Amino acid sequence: MIQDIAPHIYHNEYTPHAPNPSDQILYYEKDTVLIRETDGEIAFPTFQEVQEIFPAVVQHYTYLFSIDEISYYLVPELPTKALSFYEFKSTDLFRTTRPRHLSFAGITGYQLFRWYQEHQFCGACGCRTKQDQKERMLYCPHCKKTEYPKLCPAVIVAIRNKNKLLLSKYAGRKITHYALIAGFAEIGEPIEDTVRREVMEEVGLKVKNLHFYKSQPWSFTDTLLFGFFCDLDGDDTISLDEEELSMAVWMDRDQIPDDEYGISLTREMMTVFKNGQDKFYE
């Protein structure tokens, strides 16, 4: 999955410090990132590259995280035309580009960029927020309200019907490949009840024998995913929620498509079932 970057090590501790010349700059505009891509290999600007043409960069930066010995920073502005080797590309490219640890850095930085952008002002009193120096948090100096990065808990559900798995496709989205049933948890709802509710709402089925498989941070949508295997309980007739899904079908193991990129929990769970490895979650 996209966060599996070994032998590289992700350090998400909030330890702000001055950048080194080789540290990386993550610069976003809306849903695009400043990047260099060559034959599927990506690179970000370094502080040394940027400082040579824009010395003021050393005065305005936000520490994000580190991978191995390299730290990653957001900056509020860059003279992008002077960085002729780099261009803006959609953040969707992080689904397919290499090396994996840089794709992970790019999409994780994008999640934090959106959070900083959307919380420049206090939601309670409207005053401009400030960054805390001890933890990754924004606070209002007027009313003292605090804000932490947004995480939305959601489920991914692999529903088994003997030797078949329920696959679906989302409605009204540009991503058209097969997926599993998924949905966000509601306030006051245990995550296991989220599984049962989402399955009933989207395909009208009952499930039993819920077994937790694995979790995944999915920064494309600010989501923390919880993957579950479960079994059909009763009638297998699908009642499709056409606002959420364009289709849903029971598919035999040997018909399940291969996972080309290996970045998502959804596709990993499909592959586990395809290879008959789901017996450990019965």
Side-chain angles (χ1 to χ4, degrees):
M1 296 189 286
I2 196 169
Q3 77 274 12
D4 297 328
I5 61 173
H8 302 283
I9 300 174
Y10 171 58
H11 302 279
N12 67 348
E13 304 88 352
Y14 188 65
T15 55
H17 55 272
N20 294 314
S22 60
D23 287 339
Q24 311 279 293
I25 287 177
L26 300 177
Y27 185 72
Y28 306 90
E29 289 188 359
K30 296 183 179 179
D31 59 352
T32 64
V33 59
L34 188 68
I35 204 165
R36 183 172 72 240
E37 181 184 7
T38 306
D39 298 328
E41 296 276 341
I42 60 173
F44 302 111
T46 66
F47 251 91
Q48 182 173 347
E49 285 180 289
V50 173
Q51 190 174 357
E52 289 175 355
I53 60 173
F54 186 52
V57 71
V58 299
Q59 302 173 12
H60 304 284
Y61 57 79
T62 298
Y63 173 77
L64 297 179
F65 49 78
S66 298
I67 296 178
D68 299 331
E69 303 303 318
I70 299 297
S71 296
Y72 294 78
Y73 296 83
L74 281 178
V75 295
E77 61 176 320
L78 279 182
T80 56
K81 291 183 179 179
L83 293 166
S84 57
F85 291 109
Y86 297 88
E87 61 182 327
F88 284 103
K89 291 197 172 185
S90 169
T91 53
D92 281 342
L93 95 167
F94 294 127
R95 296 173 181 268
T96 58
T97 47
R98 306 179 307 273
R100 174 66 59 82
H101 74 284
L102 291 186
S103 293
F104 175 69
I107 197 58
T108 304
Y110 181 52
Q111 180 178 5
L112 288 167
F113 161 74
R114 294 197 309 270
W115 175 68
Y116 280 117
Q117 287 291 105
E118 295 167 3
H119 293 83
Q120 297 181 62
F121 298 93
C122 176
C125 71
C127 289
R128 182 173 287 276
T129 57
K130 292 186 176 182
Q131 294 183 23
D132 189 75
Q133 296 304 306
K134 293 184 178 180
E135 55 183 332
R136 189 176 286 109
M137 179 262 284
L138 295 172
Y139 69 93
C140 175
H142 176 67
C143 72
K144 311 306 180 184
K145 180 178 174 61
T146 59
E147 293 285 352
Y148 291 87
K150 181 173 69 173
L151 286 175
C152 303
V155 296
I156 299 293
V157 190
I159 309 169
R160 299 171 294 200
N161 182 6
K162 297 179 181 178
N163 205 41
K164 296 183 178 181
L165 188 70
L166 186 72
L167 301 187
S168 62
K169 292 186 178 183
Y170 296 116
R173 299 191 192 181
K174 58 184 178 182
I175 298 173
T176 59
H177 54 64
Y178 284 111
L180 301 174
I181 297 300
F184 291 100
E186 298 288 353
I187 296 296
E189 181 178 59
I191 203 71
E192 294 85 357
D193 285 349
T194 304
V195 171
R196 300 181 183 95
R197 177 181 54 78
E198 285 292 339
V199 172
M200 177 56 66
E201 288 179 354
E202 295 192 2
V203 289
L205 299 173
K206 292 182 179 181
V207 293
K208 61 183 179 181
N209 302 331
L210 277 63
H211 289 274
F212 176 71
Y213 168 67
K214 191 182 289 187
S215 64
Q216 179 183 31
W218 189 247
S219 293
F220 293 94
T221 55
D222 302 326
T223 309
L224 179 60
L225 298 169
F226 296 83
F228 285 86
F229 280 96
C230 59
D231 296 308
L232 177 70
D233 184 9
D235 185 19
D236 66 356
T237 303
I238 297 169
S239 178
L240 195 68
D241 179 354
E242 296 183 353
E243 292 186 1
E244 293 288 335
L245 303 176
S246 64
M247 61 88 70
V249 62
W250 294 108
M251 188 171 291
D252 290 326
R253 292 183 195 271
D254 58 0
Q255 294 179 322
I256 293 174
D258 293 328
D259 183 4
E260 182 178 359
Y261 297 111
I263 68 166
S264 75
L265 177 61
T266 296
R267 299 305 294 271
E268 180 173 301
M269 292 174 69
M270 290 166 57
T271 300
V272 165
F273 182 82
K274 177 183 178 73
N275 295 335
Q277 299 167 319
D278 61 298
K279 63 181 181 181
F280 299 108
Y281 307 96
E282 294 178 347

